[in-house]
Amino acid sequence: MNQEKIIRVLVVDDSAYIRKVLVQMLQKSPFIEVVGTATNGKEALEKVEELNPDVITLDLIMPEMDGISFIEKQMKKKPLPIVVCSIASETGELALKALELGAIDFIQKPTALATEKIFEITEELINKVKTAASVNLAKLDLKPREKRLKPVDIGKIKPVKEAIVIGVSTGGPQALKTVIPLLPKDFPVPVLVVLHMPEGYTKIFAEKLNEFSNLKVIEAQGDELVTPGVVYMAKAGLHLSVEKRADGNIYTKTDAKPLDLLYRPSVDILFSSAARVYKDKLIAVVLTGMGNDGLNGCREVKNNGGIVITESETTAIVYGMPKVITDEGLSDKQVHLYELVQTLIEEVKK
């Protein structure tokens, strides 16, 4: 994103204190200008018409018109990048609904109370607003699920590869909802996923994804026997890795350490552990997201003989993580999101 451009932001929240604090936080960046505020969705629709912001920060629970209704109406009128700012305990399922309707990302408020604790999210909020401003909204898939591609039936095949690991960040829920449900029920290898999400959301997301999928989708708790036909979602706040034990089987492992990484869970941690365990029998996939989490992990995958697939710029909502891998010469294939499942089916047989 060109940092010379000032990002114009509309802040929408029914709490006067939260509005004031969000404005203060955003104004710490010289590249962000808060052009207005709104107290509910109805007022926000009017402010969008009047102010034409580049990005909207949005509360979900508001009087008169809530955040979900606002997203539905705004996306039909004029799609805009929206960053949801909510409290997980109150709005977990609503936040996922917001993403399905077209919100780009969300951030968890540490509290709804008038305390200094809210300022803890300053850096994260600024970064997510900057990322949202760089998004190409034309790449968002907002079609009803029944109009999307149908799952592929591959029949019984003997896989050569033994596992797939996926790393994804901004735009991840939308990407995973496009890919995971298309994997056939007889898919012969396990899938392990790191998605950058605030704590409190990954369990809900895994449960929702499980409803749409042929494979079993779970939030990994650690000590699970890694089994074909299961998708293991890393739990927000804990790194996910795999380890081969004395019995010869491979198990999941969850751990808060190392604590000094930018993301927890980290794509690098999962990819590196899987590379050591599966060697040349591993497929690593990097999808949409900002930053370089996964770069070191992909190096280890390649060093151990595995293959790396990245999402192409054509479909990546944020072409950051895949670009870093590709620019480093680590990507074996750059794949359109809607061709990924077919590519994975072909690759597990090689």
Side-chain angles (χ1 to χ4, degrees):
M1 186 186 71
N2 181 3
Q3 290 291 340
E4 296 301 318
K5 182 181 183 298
I6 301 298
I7 303 165
R8 294 162 48 81
V9 179
L10 174 67
V11 172
V12 185
D13 198 295
D14 64 326
S15 163
Y17 176 74
I18 297 296
R19 288 197 304 276
K20 177 183 176 182
V21 169
L22 291 179
V23 170
Q24 290 175 352
M25 287 192 279
L26 290 168
Q27 287 180 335
K28 288 183 182 296
S29 169
F31 304 109
I32 294 175
E33 176 189 2
V34 178
V35 294
T37 63
T39 61
N40 58 55
K42 184 172 181 290
E43 185 181 352
L45 288 172
E46 296 169 356
K47 289 292 183 75
V48 168
E49 288 272 356
E50 175 190 345
L51 301 170
N52 192 28
D54 299 311
V55 178
I56 298 166
T57 70
L58 181 70
D59 190 15
L60 291 179
I61 299 179
M62 298 178 291
E64 196 160 357
M65 182 186 290
D66 63 17
I68 296 296
S69 298
F70 168 77
I71 296 172
E72 288 177 317
K73 292 179 184 298
Q74 185 59 52
M75 286 301 180
K76 287 177 182 176
K77 290 176 64 176
K78 179 188 176 184
L80 284 171
I82 296 170
V83 177
V84 170
C85 191
S86 66
I87 299 174
S89 59
E90 295 179 359
T91 58
E93 290 198 24
L94 286 179
L96 296 180
K97 177 67 173 175
L99 292 174
E100 190 167 314
L101 290 171
I104 298 301
D105 207 343
F106 61 95
I107 184 169
Q108 184 177 331
K109 292 179 192 171
T111 178
L113 304 175
T115 72
E116 295 294 304
K117 191 174 177 65
I118 188 70
F119 285 96
E120 292 175 1
I121 65 171
T122 299
E123 185 177 355
E124 184 182 4
L125 177 65
I126 289 171
N127 288 336
K128 290 196 171 185
V129 165
K130 287 181 178 179
T131 299
S134 72
V135 165
N136 182 348
L137 290 173
K139 296 177 182 176
L140 277 176
D141 179 12
L142 303 179
K143 297 188 298 293
R145 191 160 309 281
E146 61 272 12
K147 293 185 180 179
R148 297 178 185 175
L149 299 175
K150 300 299 181 186
V152 180
D153 184 8
I154 60 172
K156 297 296 181 183
I157 63 170
K158 185 175 181 180
V160 174
K161 298 298 191 295
E162 295 178 355
I164 294 171
V165 289
I166 299 175
V168 62
S169 189
T170 309
Q174 296 93 328
L176 292 173
K177 279 192 172 184
T178 299
V179 173
I180 300 300
L182 294 182
L183 292 170
K185 61 184 178 182
D186 45 9
F187 197 63
V189 300
V191 180
L192 300 103
V193 180
V194 164
L195 166 64
H196 296 154
M197 254 187 174
E199 292 183 39
Y201 290 90
T202 44
K203 184 174 188 294
I204 301 168
F205 180 65
E207 289 171 351
K208 289 292 182 185
L209 200 55
N210 186 59
E211 292 176 13
F212 303 130
S213 303
N214 297 295
L215 305 183
K216 182 179 181 181
V217 183
I218 64 170
E219 181 189 62
Q221 301 301 308
D223 293 320
E224 291 119 341
L225 178 66
V226 178
T227 307
V230 180
V231 178
Y232 301 87
M233 181 81 58
K235 183 176 183 178
L238 293 175
H239 298 299
L240 174 64
S241 59
V242 291
E243 59 181 2
K244 194 167 189 175
R245 297 185 183 169
D247 63 4
N249 292 316
I250 298 167
Y251 294 84
T252 62
K253 179 184 176 182
T254 57
D255 198 336
K257 296 178 181 178
L259 299 172
D260 59 346
L261 296 180
L262 181 60
Y263 298 105
R264 193 167 67 242
S266 162
V267 178
D268 282 327
I269 294 288
L270 173 62
F271 281 22
S272 296
S273 70
R276 293 190 293 269
V277 168
Y278 292 105
K279 308 288 186 187
D280 61 345
K281 307 298 185 184
L282 180 68
I283 301 171
V285 181
V286 178
L287 302 177
T288 174
M290 183 65 76
N292 65 357
D293 190 18
L295 176 59
N296 291 331
C298 282
R299 285 199 184 102
E300 195 145 357
V301 171
K302 296 289 289 181
N303 288 339
N304 281 275
I307 71 163
V308 173
I309 298 171
T310 52
E311 183 177 0
S312 72
E313 187 174 5
T314 308
T315 58
I317 294 173
V318 180
Y319 189 58
M321 286 165 56
K323 184 178 188 300
V324 169
I325 307 302
T326 302
D327 288 351
E328 288 291 317
L330 298 172
S331 177
D332 295 290
K333 289 188 176 182
Q334 296 88 52
V335 179
H336 189 295
L337 188 65
Y338 298 98
E339 297 171 352
L340 179 58
V341 169
Q342 190 59 48
T343 300
L344 292 176
I345 289 170
E346 292 168 1
E347 289 297 332
V348 298
K349 295 185 287 185
K350 291 182 180 178

